[in-house]
Amino acid sequence: MSPLIAYRDAEETAAPAGPARAVILLLALGAEGAGRLLKHLHPDEIRDLKLCADQLPTVSREQIDALVEEFQEQFRIGPALTGPARQMQDLLEASLSPELLTAIMEVGDVGGAAFEIDENMFGPPPSVWDEVEKLEGAVLAGKLAQEHPQVVALLLTRISSPTASAIARHLDARFRNEVMRRMLALKPLAPPMETLFEEHVRLAYLPSAEAPEEGGSHILLADIMNLMDKQHSEALIESIRESQPRDAEKLQSLLFAFEDVAGLTQKARLVLFDQINAEVVTKALREIDGELKEAVLSALGARTRRMVEAELGQASETPPDEIIGARRIISSTALRLAGEGRIQLRPAA
């Protein structure tokens, strides 16, 4: 007997069996919670869950209670699931992008052309250090020779010993010795500085990153400016533009602040805020109104938007540094996604 038949024949208060259990738990979690899980499932598993939901009858509150009790967790249980098929469709639409949902549910041609699901859509992108490992040591050494020895020392401690050795042997002897001495005295970087360092390496050395044609100094200065207040970074750009207009333009192309979110395309905003949790969005939108606020809210799923708006409607004493921190998380995420080629920070000319 199949799990679905066994489920239909069970007593009303019996805990569901088979894939029906996963369907009911996902629906009970709602789009926000289920969305985090769905991203880690294989397309075949998501299709199986949807097919299972299509065949489920009404699920009583007693059956949900039984399942929750079995897992010994405290859920806030809403009304009975009166239409699992429709509710599962709504949950998938709220949790996944339309393109991804279409790719999962439709087998064969999509939009008149063969569509193949990219498995990388279901996991985190390769780390910057995985990508560095693929580079040729001699080529990378030539570029690193223009860096400060401290930067090179940090980089060599982030990659495997064989790769680090391949790079080091192509460095000038005096420079190499200075790098090695610094490696002995290195201390761990604070998380924000680690992120900044990774972004510098990604933009300066990885082929897929949107780096300028020349000069790592522009990237390093842009990394610093992206951590400054927007008004201060703009003032610095104007100062540079007076005497070095070409350098100012290069720097401008590498800068991105939270306020620039409104200038992204809707597609880019959807990709960006798929990476940001609701709590960070809520903090970032404190004391924000008008076009920027709507640009952010329009990139959220319907349920997440309602939740964020409800939080913003309540009085809050969020510390200013937490608000600034949340906005920097969003801007640094946008820069990372741009470096990975997943979004464009500015429309193509």
Side-chain angles (χ1 to χ4, degrees), residues 263-298:
L264 296 175
T265 64
Q266 179 66 6
K267 180 180 179 181
R269 287 199 298 269
L270 289 171
V271 174
L272 170 59
F273 285 97
D274 185 54
Q275 305 283 316
I276 310 296
N277 67 47
E279 182 181 0
V280 170
V281 175
T282 302
K283 288 181 178 179
L285 287 179
R286 294 290 180 191
E287 305 173 9
I288 292 288
D289 241 320
E291 180 185 358
L292 177 56
K293 181 178 180 180
E294 181 55 34
V296 173
L297 293 174
S298 68

Side-chain angles (χ1 to χ4, degrees), residues 63-98:
Q63 288 172 310
I64 299 177
D65 281 334
L67 181 57
V68 171
E69 183 178 356
E70 181 180 334
F71 281 87
Q72 297 181 344
E73 295 184 17
Q74 298 298 317
F75 282 87
R76 287 184 61 190
I77 301 174
L81 305 177
T82 56
R86 178 66 258 171
Q87 288 172 281
M88 189 64 178
Q89 181 69 26
D90 291 342
L91 185 148
L92 292 174
E93 290 175 355
S95 304
L96 305 173
S97 68

Side-chain angles (χ1 to χ4, degrees), residues 29 93 144 252 344:
L29 284 171
E93 290 175 355
L144 288 173
Q252 187 76 58
Q344 286 188 335

